[in-house]
Amino acid sequence: MNALALNRDALALVRKHGFILWLTLAPLIFLQIAIALIDHYFKPLALLAQMGSLLLEGIIALGAYWVLLSRLNIGCDFTFKRILVYLIAAVFISVAASIGYVLFVVPGLLVMLLSVFTPLIILLKGEGPIEAISSSVTLMKGYYLKSALVLFPVVILMALANIGLVSLMLGLDFPKWLADGISHFISASLALYIPVLLWVMYQWLQENAPSSEVFAQVNDVILQKSDSP
């Protein structure tokens, strides 16, 4: 698993499909920004805003894959049921990650890493929340560290770029609400690169990582040998 090669392939997809991907999801991104600002500045509506934001995150997460796969002529079902399934999975992931962060931080990061393919698996295969999380973990078996080395630098670079942009705008005396809005817009737009990179990684893992069926067959052979005299 070569991080540079995977990012090169992802960037090639972004150059070809990135504008359509962003244009399709831009209304949802702007709506998410508005909800985030409401949550921050209008506290009486905070709970409603957070619920709306959670729903939008699910739609955007699956919508990004749906747009990309549609452009690649790969069939998938983008339905409310699958959005709901992903939101349920996201709750399980968030609870597990939160517990991990409280303990020693690293377990929380590990939970987030192992579950990254959950939305893609739900969209492609229609699996349930727990099943999709399990499939994501199985898919990455043997490539946990390498997957982390592909994903985490990209996430860290995006976070640093966002922090730098906010600091620059505040240093130029931008109103805080405007700086927050621009920051949300930039970070949400840049975040659309992540599904593209994950799709490239998913393809690579499907081609190179042993599937759960292969593991099951190997285990059966081991058990048969251990039972034989």
Side-chain angles (χ1 to χ4, degrees):
M1 180 179 283
N2 187 306
L4 290 177
L6 291 173
N7 276 283
R8 184 178 63 247
D9 292 345
L11 287 170
L13 286 176
V14 168
R15 285 193 294 270
K16 190 171 183 180
H17 306 290
F19 179 70
I20 297 298
L21 180 64
W22 180 86
L23 192 63
T24 305
L25 297 174
L28 296 177
I29 292 175
F30 283 117
L31 183 56
Q32 190 179 37
I33 293 169
I35 290 175
L37 292 175
I38 290 172
D39 180 27
H40 187 77
Y41 292 104
F42 299 94
K43 295 303 180 185
L45 299 176
L47 180 59
L48 185 61
Q50 289 169 8
M51 293 174 61
S53 180
L54 180 63
L55 178 60
L56 267 180
E57 284 177 11
I59 295 173
I60 291 173
L62 292 185
Y65 287 117
W66 173 70
V67 173
L68 178 62
L69 295 178
S70 298
R71 297 280 297 174
L72 297 174
N73 295 317
I74 297 172
C76 58
D77 292 328
F78 181 49
T79 62
F80 180 76
K81 179 181 178 181
R82 295 197 177 184
I83 294 171
L84 185 60
V85 169
Y86 171 65
L87 290 177
I88 295 171
V91 170
F92 285 126
I93 294 167
S94 297
V95 171
S98 298
I99 294 172
Y101 289 136
V102 169
L103 294 177
F104 295 105
V105 179
V106 174
L109 293 175
L110 185 60
V111 169
M112 298 301 292
L113 172 67
L114 296 180
S115 59
V116 291
F117 294 108
T118 300
L120 182 55
I121 291 170
I122 290 172
L123 189 62
L124 282 173
K125 301 182 178 180
E127 294 183 357
I130 301 299
E131 188 181 8
I133 295 170
S134 176
S135 295
S136 178
V137 175
T138 301
L139 180 67
M140 298 176 70
K141 191 170 291 186
Y143 292 93
Y144 302 141
L145 180 58
K146 290 183 178 179
S147 296
L149 292 175
V150 174
L151 284 171
F152 286 159
V154 174
V155 174
I156 291 170
L157 283 174
M158 287 183 178
L160 290 175
N162 192 45
I163 292 170
L165 178 64
V166 172
S167 300
L168 176 64
M169 288 188 293
L170 293 177
L172 295 173
D173 293 328
F174 276 60
K176 191 173 186 308
W177 66 268
L178 181 58
D180 287 342
I182 294 174
S183 169
H184 280 296
F185 173 76
I186 297 296
S187 60
S189 297
L190 289 176
L192 293 178
Y193 176 72
I194 299 297
V196 179
L197 178 59
L198 287 174
W199 167 246
V200 173
M201 291 176 63
Y202 178 83
Q203 289 182 298
W204 190 94
L205 288 168
Q206 287 280 75
E207 294 171 1
N208 295 276
S211 67
S212 56
E213 293 181 359
V214 173
F215 276 109
Q217 291 171 3
V218 171
N219 287 334
D220 289 341
V221 171
I222 292 173
L223 289 173
Q224 289 173 6
K225 288 184 177 180
S226 63
D227 292 337
S228 61

